Amino acid sequence: MKTILVTGATGKQGTATVYELLKNNFEVFALTRNPQSSEAHNLEKAGAVLVKGDLENIEALSDLFKKIDGLYLVLPPVWISSKETDEKEAELGIKAIRLAEEQGVKFVLYSSVLASDKQDAFRPKFKFTIEKYLLESNLQGAVIRPASFMENLLLPSFGLGEGKFINPLPEETAISWVTTNDIGTFARIIFQNYQAFNGKTVDFGGELFAPKQVLKLLEEKLKQPIEFVQVPLEILHQQSETFARLVEMIDQEGYDPIDYEFIASWMPKLTGFEQWMDETGIQKIKELRNHK
């Protein structure tokens, strides 16, 4: 396992994985729609080979797939989900896996999402569809299901740049959080030990925090109050029926427990929420505010 193609390479998760693989002597192809972006230039400077393209034109990557040992499949993010976007995502993922199978790729690691199997009840063609297709194929492969990204707090939809914490989730329900750097590290560990992970699905996340606990930590670190804005469920239904159903699922069922012992057996220390805030988060939130 020497040469890896990372899709979505200039996104937060893809970038973290590319850097981690390069630091550990892998050869990395980085797929990006825009090789001229600053993120792409940084990856190239670090030693990645940039590949212009996207998964919607998967046939154009056929020759590249012949050259790689491993594929890290990260699909483009969708911010307002629907039945149509779910189905398109499932189609993109399956086409990429099918090409990997045709071209003899040794191992495919697919990045899904926590509780993709539970979401299957109301999202019949989505990430769990891709997981099943991979694990039932003739390929060697594994699935990583990351928890909520700490970095997502920096998105405009959370409102921290405006002194608000806009929360769409059940406010008392604790969920797992993880940094994209830790996802990149664990992805690298999987590729280094791909035979041990073959056929496995790994729920990957760290500390449990309810939204009000996140708010308290933010206020302590920023040393100022933040307005807590709870988005009503009826508003979520208007914006995205599928996301609203996800929030209802979290409220009613919660997530299954993560096997922290298994994660620790491969990666003893994950980044804590407070550590992430101290190292990068608070500085970036302050930068968001300064740009207002």
Side-chain angles (χ1 to χ4, degrees):
M1 189 61 50
K2 183 182 177 188
T3 307
I4 311 293
L5 169 63
V6 177
T7 70
T10 54
K12 288 186 173 64
Q13 184 183 166
T15 294
T17 305
V18 171
Y19 286 137
E20 185 65 24
L21 289 169
L22 289 170
K23 279 193 299 186
N24 286 272
N25 301 314
F26 285 88
E27 293 175 12
V28 181
F29 288 100
L31 184 67
T32 175
R33 287 193 177 113
N34 181 13
Q36 302 308 318
S37 69
S38 59
E39 292 86 357
H41 281 307
N42 290 337
L43 294 180
E44 190 172 36
K45 274 192 265 183
V49 178
L50 298 183
V51 178
K52 184 178 182 181
D54 63 59
L55 295 172
E56 292 188 32
N57 186 16
I58 192 73
E59 294 79 14
L61 302 173
S62 187
D63 286 342
L64 175 61
F65 271 52
K66 289 177 184 168
K67 300 176 186 174
I68 60 173
D69 300 316
L71 169 66
Y72 188 44
L73 183 58
V74 183
L75 295 169
V78 175
W79 302 117
I80 300 178
S81 55
S82 65
K83 179 174 178 284
E84 291 72 27
T85 62
D86 283 0
E87 288 178 356
K88 182 178 178 184
E89 185 167 339
E91 184 185 352
L92 281 182
I94 286 169
K95 280 185 174 177
I97 293 164
R98 194 178 292 147
L99 183 63
E101 199 169 10
E102 288 168 3
Q103 303 296 11
V105 175
K106 272 189 201 171
F107 185 81
V108 175
L109 175 58
Y110 168 51
S111 178
S112 184
V113 70
L114 210 59
S116 55
D117 50 345
K118 286 189 173 189
Q119 293 183 53
D120 195 50
F122 55 91
R123 304 177 90 167
K125 280 192 177 173
F126 188 46
K127 294 183 187 290
F128 192 57
T129 313
I130 303 169
E131 293 181 26
K132 287 187 290 186
Y133 189 87
L134 172 60
L135 297 180
E136 290 167 9
S137 74
N138 293 319
L139 285 160
Q140 292 191 88
V143 175
I144 184 170
R145 292 177 177 166
S148 296
F149 300 172
M150 295 178 195
E151 290 83 357
N152 282 354
L153 290 173
L154 305 172
L155 295 172
S157 55
F158 276 93
L160 290 175
E162 299 170 347
K164 299 176 181 177
F165 180 36
I166 301 168
N167 176 59
L169 300 172
E171 60 182 286
E172 302 299 338
T173 303
I175 63 169
S176 178
W177 295 80
V178 70
T179 67
T180 50
N181 280 347
D182 283 351
I183 298 169
T185 301
F186 206 75
R188 180 261 301 165
I189 289 167
I190 291 173
F191 280 115
Q192 286 177 322
N193 302 276
Y194 71 98
Q195 288 168 320
F197 281 92
N198 183 37
K200 284 190 172 14
T201 298
V202 182
D203 289 343
F204 187 72
E207 292 176 298
L208 297 170
F209 272 81
K212 284 288 181 79
Q213 291 173 296
V214 175
L215 174 71
K216 184 170 181 286
L217 195 54
L218 285 165
E219 289 183 325
E220 286 172 2
K221 295 293 177 184
L222 287 165
K223 297 182 173 59
Q224 61 187 84
I226 297 169
E227 182 187 352
F228 185 80
V229 181
Q230 180 65 38
V231 183
L233 195 56
E234 56 268 24
I235 299 292
L236 296 179
H237 275 286
Q238 290 168 19
Q239 293 174 341
S240 167
E241 189 66 29
T242 48
F243 184 70
R245 294 282 297 275
L246 170 62
V247 170
E248 288 176 325
M249 184 212 81
I250 296 168
D251 191 29
Q252 292 160 16
E253 301 176 44
Y255 289 107
D256 291 337
I258 288 172
D259 187 346
Y260 295 113
E261 283 187 23
F262 176 77
I263 293 171
S265 70
W266 291 97
M267 184 176 169
K269 191 169 187 324
L270 298 183
T271 307
F273 222 140
E274 190 166 2
Q275 180 188 349
W276 174 77
M277 286 189 185
D278 287 343
E279 289 177 356
T280 60
I282 294 302
Q283 182 59 38
K284 288 188 173 167
I285 292 166
K286 288 177 178 175
E287 288 169 12
L288 289 177
R289 294 177 169 194
N290 291 337
H291 288 152
K292 288 292 163 198

